[in-house]
Amino acid sequence: MLKRKFLVISLLAATSVATIGCVQYTSAKKEQTPIKVIKDTKAITPPHIIASKVDIYEGITGYDWLNEDKILMTKENEKLEEVETAVGNFKVKNMFLYDLRTKGSIGIHDQSKFQDGGIFSPDRKHIFYRNQYQEQGAGYIIDENGNLTFEILDADMDPYDLSEAQWINDEEIIMPCSSIRGFAVININGTITKIKDVESGVMGTQDLLNGLSMPQPMKVGDKIYYTTIKSGSEENNKLRVYDIEKKDKKTLVTDEVLEFKVSPNQQQILMTTFNSETYLNELILIDLEGQNRQVLAEGGIYGARWSKDGKNIAYISNEEGDKGIYLIEVETNKKSLVSSGEYYIPMAWSPEGDKIMAHGKVAKKGENPFDEMDVTYIISLK
């Protein structure tokens, strides 16, 4: 049964402290540890899959694609001291644009502060990223040349809120705004629109175990779609829609919704739900009114993502014996195994839909069997 196992960890980590400065592109320093690339690992790709090859990049976490050849990724800065927080120490990570062809990278920022969660705007002209390791969370929007467009530093915004930010369109980002029990819409021109009192009661940023959280909202027209997390409550794992004009909300479906993604054409919603009768997760399509329900798959499903053209859906299965990344053609409902193995989020389609990037973990060489490092898989489709 897949539940939101990592919410508590995410919220705790979001309250820790660090600093951040101005933004610019700089060349990656030559003395940094090079990224080890393992080419065409056919040993982990059985013959019945639809991947032509899988390349493994050790020591990095890929987040998004600039184009078919360049990815936005983070890796640990081995020269900086760990960030000390109330819940443990964290190694400082920096962001880079990495060229899959030349194996070269250019750094975002001065490479001395923590950076995380980078995502491109749909037109690939802006990047949002955050530094959650400081007392007041800071988010940053930079343009395609690395110039700082806007620094998001607002007393109403918690570091956890910034970790749930998503692009609405080429110019706007939406995120929860827990202190006002609502949301914030941020434009690249620096304006912030706050939608207050969508929910009521104690929020998760105030009471980690019993409060309400509203992760990864999405705005479509005058409506905001969001899920709720409130452990042990009837409000837990509900998909809701809030009408900004009418200032009214409703629960869209009765399912226990773990995650959702609005389709690229903003006509459908892809939900990952938990079925309490079968104890399985289900991948379900609905329209924006919660109707025209279509069950696509069931099992140990999570991390479902639309391709950029909306024609395909990729998801991860952690079902014992069936672990891997799977693909569903939306029009035909045909399901294929992309690559078997143990994969994690973040996972992202390339802009042309020819590749899928996914996260993984591998054991480090040494005496400690639990010592792992991040790896990024670039899966090329046939």
Side-chain angles (χ1 to χ4, degrees):
M1 174 173 71
L2 178 62
K3 293 288 187 176
R4 305 188 187 208
K5 299 177 181 177
F6 305 114
L7 173 65
V8 172
I9 296 174
S10 300
L11 285 169
L12 285 171
T15 60
S16 40
V17 179
T19 56
I20 197 162
C22 62
V23 175
Q24 61 182 4
Y25 282 112
T26 58
S27 299
K29 296 180 180 179
K30 294 182 179 180
E31 64 267 20
Q32 289 178 333
T33 303
I35 298 168
K36 183 178 179 182
V37 182
I38 304 173
K39 296 287 290 181
D40 202 5
T41 54
K42 297 185 184 298
I44 66 169
T45 56
H48 61 283
I49 66 163
I50 64 170
S52 61
K53 67 173 181 176
V54 180
D55 294 332
I56 304 176
Y57 297 79
E58 294 186 342
I60 72 171
T61 301
Y63 282 92
D64 206 352
W65 297 79
L66 174 61
N67 52 45
E68 294 296 302
D69 298 314
K70 292 181 180 180
I71 63 171
L72 188 62
M73 62 84 167
T74 63
K75 65 177 179 178
E76 293 177 1
N77 189 328
E78 299 172 352
K79 294 188 174 183
L80 297 181
E81 294 182 1
E82 293 183 349
V83 178
E84 297 182 4
T85 76
V87 294
N89 293 352
F90 293 86
K91 293 183 177 179
V92 174
K93 292 186 177 182
N94 292 142
M95 292 182 58
F96 297 82
L97 279 175
Y98 182 75
D99 193 312
L100 300 174
R101 295 172 305 169
T102 66
K103 310 301 181 283
S105 60
I106 56 175
I108 298 172
H109 198 223
D110 63 5
Q111 305 297 285
S112 66
K113 310 297 180 183
F114 197 99
Q115 301 164 296
D116 201 9
I119 46 175
F120 280 103
S121 58
D123 62 3
R124 285 15 211 180
K125 292 184 178 181
H126 290 88
I127 300 170
F128 166 82
Y129 72 93
R130 66 182 186 270
N131 178 1
Q132 66 267 43
Y133 293 103
Q134 62 181 40
E135 188 172 1
Q136 182 177 336
Y140 297 86
I141 299 174
I142 60 173
D143 66 19
E144 56 190 328
N145 298 313
N147 300 311
L148 180 63
T149 300
F150 183 52
E151 179 183 14
I152 305 168
L153 197 63
D154 190 292
D156 285 337
M157 297 178 191
D158 187 88
Y160 168 75
D161 298 331
L162 291 164
S163 72
E164 299 297 319
Q166 297 191 101
W167 286 95
I168 302 171
N169 49 47
D170 295 338
E171 298 181 346
E172 293 178 307
I173 286 172
I174 187 170
M175 66 182 67
C177 197
S178 300
S179 66
I180 61 171
R181 300 177 178 85
F183 304 99
V185 175
I186 301 162
N187 195 289
I188 59 174
N189 65 16
T191 60
I192 300 177
T193 303
K194 296 179 181 179
I195 299 106
K196 300 181 179 181
D197 298 321
V198 175
E199 293 287 347
S200 59
V202 178
M203 302 303 292
T205 51
Q206 300 168 307
D207 186 336
L208 185 62
L209 298 179
N210 302 307
L212 178 72
S213 299
M214 303 180 292
Q216 294 194 324
M218 179 49 64
K219 183 174 179 286
V220 180
D222 290 329
K223 295 180 179 179
I224 298 175
Y225 295 82
Y226 63 100
T227 52
T228 58
I229 301 175
K230 190 173 183 180
S231 182
S233 166
E234 292 183 356
E235 298 178 84
N236 194 40
N237 294 338
K238 295 301 180 185
L239 176 58
R240 289 178 174 165
V241 56
Y242 179 77
D243 190 308
I244 299 172
E245 296 297 321
K246 297 179 180 179
K247 296 185 178 180
D248 181 51
K249 69 173 183 289
K250 66 177 181 180
T251 300
L252 199 62
V253 294
T254 59
D255 301 79
E256 190 174 344
V257 181
L258 306 175
E259 185 183 23
F260 79 98
K261 294 292 179 183
V262 176
S263 62
N265 65 6
Q266 297 192 331
Q267 298 297 311
Q268 293 177 295
I269 294 174
L270 177 65
M271 308 185 298
T272 303
T273 68
F274 174 69
N275 188 320
S276 58
E277 294 182 359
T278 63
Y279 282 87
L280 294 173
N281 290 348
E282 295 178 335
L283 195 60
I284 299 172
L285 272 180
I286 57 173
D287 62 25
L288 297 186
E289 299 300 321
Q291 304 300 315
N292 296 315
R293 181 188 185 91
Q294 181 183 359
V295 179
L296 302 178
E298 63 177 21
I301 295 168
Y302 73 102
R305 300 291 184 265
W306 292 93
S307 60
K308 306 301 182 185
D309 60 9
K311 293 181 179 179
N312 295 292
I313 294 166
Y315 69 88
I316 300 171
S317 173
N318 64 0
E319 193 85 13
E320 199 61 43
D322 293 314
K323 291 183 178 181
I325 295 176
Y326 290 80
L327 183 147
I328 295 177
E329 295 179 9
V330 176
E331 185 174 344
T332 65
N333 202 24
K334 178 184 176 182
K335 185 172 75 170
S336 303
L337 174 64
V338 175
S339 179
S340 64
E342 195 162 355
Y343 295 95
Y344 306 98
I345 54 174
M347 182 172 71
W349 285 86
S350 66
E352 298 298 322
D354 295 329
K355 299 169 186 160
I356 295 173
M357 175 169 59
H359 182 225
K361 293 280 189 179
V362 297
K364 289 183 178 180
K365 294 180 181 179
E367 297 181 357
N368 185 356
F370 300 104
D371 195 8
E372 296 179 317
M373 70 173 168
D374 294 308
V375 296
T376 289
Y377 298 96
I378 303 294
I379 304 169
S380 299
L381 305 179
K382 292 179 182 178

